[in-house]
Amino acid sequence: MAEKSKILIIGGTGYIGKFIVEASAKLGHPTFALVRESTVNDPAKGPLVEKFKSLGVTVLLGDVNDYESLLKAIKQVDVVISTVGHMQILDQVKIISAIKEAGNIKRFFPSEFGNDVDRVHAVEPAKSAFAMKAQIRRAIEAEGIPYTYVPSNCFAGYFLPTLVQFGASAPPRDKVTIFGDGNPKAVFNKEDDIGIFTIKAVDDPRTLNKVLYVRPPKNTYSFNELVALWEKKIGKTLEKTYLPEEKILKDIQESPIPINVVLAINHSIFVAGDHTNFEIEPSFGVEASELYPDVKYTTVEEYLDQFV
């Protein structure tokens, strides 16, 4: 068995980052996390950094905006995975520069983990957010850096606990609001599984310079199918309100930040159907659950059981 690549995760204490750090350590990769000194001393994030250490992760102090620390960290590994948040997407040009200068990186995974930004039909402000990720893709390709892009679609933990009901804290028991006609299919993946699928791709030649879609058939549901599944679980029919697209577009225009961003992303997913309105062609992409049938991913049906 070839030696497992050394992996650096940048943004590892963030929402999806922590799952990728844990997956990397659990799957036996020498794992490094670039963490700001302020994060280590942060009462909320500090314990997470300690958890990383207990998993055998090497914590390197540094920051995307401190080029020397970034370069030094990159020189110690084979693969870089960025999970930086929305505000830092364009800062990834600094990671690209450091990878280029270091010259030792076999693969770069930029911060993606949502919709496939080259295949979206989004309205503002989501359109600009997706465009920034696409801009980073083009910069990686222009520099000839080997890459894998991972659109992991919906984080189950964001969408399923409320069944995409705005302002709710639990799934609906009486009434449910459905975006558009509820027919476009979306994909919902548990965060731990996204971590595992991402790390599985690191040393896989089949994912080199490809888009790795996390689109398992058992996690692909239209809004109507999702509601029907929930109704079956609770043994009750919900009163349904369908939000027409015009109303959604008006709400996006009239809502403040960040609500308008969330609504515009929901429009892309549930009205435009941007998770599933294209076929995955071998020329550009591969699907994670097909490549790694050994991964026992959590299905949407299993995930919803905890809320019944």
Side-chain angles (χ1 to χ4, degrees):
M1 183 67 196
E3 244 184 271
K4 294 194 172 187
S5 285
K6 298 198 272 289
I7 301 176
L8 171 69
I9 294 108
I10 300 171
T13 60
Y15 182 79
I16 197 63
K18 57 184 175 289
F19 295 99
I20 292 174
V21 172
E22 286 177 31
S24 179
K26 281 176 185 159
L27 291 175
H29 286 268
T31 305
F32 299 75
L34 186 70
V35 177
R36 293 188 198 108
E37 205 161 345
S38 59
T39 304
V40 177
N41 302 320
D42 182 310
K45 296 272 178 93
L48 185 57
V49 177
E50 289 308 311
K51 186 184 178 187
F52 289 170
K53 289 179 183 170
S54 72
L55 292 170
V57 175
T58 304
V59 173
L60 303 172
L61 291 181
D63 186 355
V64 170
N65 296 311
D66 172 6
Y67 190 77
E68 289 311 308
S69 69
L70 184 61
L71 186 62
K72 191 176 160 195
I74 288 170
K75 282 181 173 172
Q76 297 178 56
V77 298
D78 308 302
V79 171
V80 177
I81 301 176
S82 169
T83 58
V84 299
H86 171 64
M87 302 308 287
Q88 281 195 292
I89 291 299
L90 294 181
D91 288 342
Q92 291 178 112
V93 293
K94 296 165 187 170
I95 302 173
I96 293 169
S97 299
I99 287 173
K100 197 71 182 160
E101 185 177 335
N104 59 303
I105 294 302
K106 296 193 300 194
R107 194 120 31 128
F108 178 39
F109 291 63
S111 189
E112 289 264 344
F113 309 106
N115 293 11
D116 178 0
V117 295
D118 283 333
R119 292 171 182 83
V120 283
H121 306 79
V123 297
E124 291 296 2
K127 186 178 180 177
S128 296
F130 293 148
M132 287 194 290
K133 287 186 177 180
Q135 196 178 322
I136 292 298
R137 288 187 179 191
R138 302 296 85 82
I140 292 165
E141 293 153 11
E143 291 293 357
I145 293 168
Y147 64 83
T148 302
Y149 307 141
V150 186
S152 55
N153 299 309
C154 289
F155 296 144
Y158 263 31
F159 289 87
L160 295 181
T162 62
L163 231 60
V164 209
Q165 299 305 292
F166 218 66
S169 54
R173 297 273 167 173
D174 303 303
K175 299 173 177 175
V176 64
T177 300
I178 295 169
F179 294 102
D181 62 11
N183 291 327
K185 289 186 189 283
V187 187
F188 306 86
N189 295 306
K190 193 176 181 194
E191 291 79 351
D192 310 62
D193 298 332
I194 293 169
I196 297 288
F197 282 131
T198 301
I199 299 300
K200 285 266 190 186
V202 161
D203 287 324
D204 188 343
R206 298 171 299 175
T207 59
L208 178 63
N209 298 335
K210 290 274 194 281
V211 184
L212 175 71
Y213 295 92
V214 187
R215 199 202 270 189
K218 289 182 178 163
N219 287 356
T220 306
Y221 284 79
S222 72
F223 212 132
N224 289 327
E225 289 167 343
L226 190 62
V227 170
L229 174 63
W230 177 245
E231 287 177 327
K232 194 175 108 195
K233 285 193 179 295
I234 62 171
K236 187 178 175 189
T237 303
L238 301 176
E239 185 189 317
K240 297 168 194 70
T241 304
Y242 288 87
L243 272 188
E245 185 174 14
E246 309 76 76
K247 170 82 172 97
I248 297 167
L249 294 173
K250 190 165 177 282
D251 287 347
I252 292 167
Q253 285 177 337
E254 292 172 359
S255 298
I257 295 173
I259 293 168
N260 57 353
V261 183
V262 175
L263 292 176
I265 291 170
N266 284 349
H267 174 271
S268 163
I269 298 167
F270 300 110
V271 180
D274 283 339
H275 286 178
T276 56
N277 59 15
F278 60 92
E279 293 299 317
I280 298 169
E281 303 288 348
S283 61
F284 62 79
V286 285
E287 198 283 312
S289 67
E290 274 177 33
L291 286 192
Y292 312 114
D294 55 317
V295 175
K296 298 278 178 280
Y297 66 86
T298 300
T299 64
V300 167
E301 179 147 12
E302 291 161 347
Y303 193 91
L304 287 176
D305 283 338
Q306 64 188 303
F307 306 111
V308 174

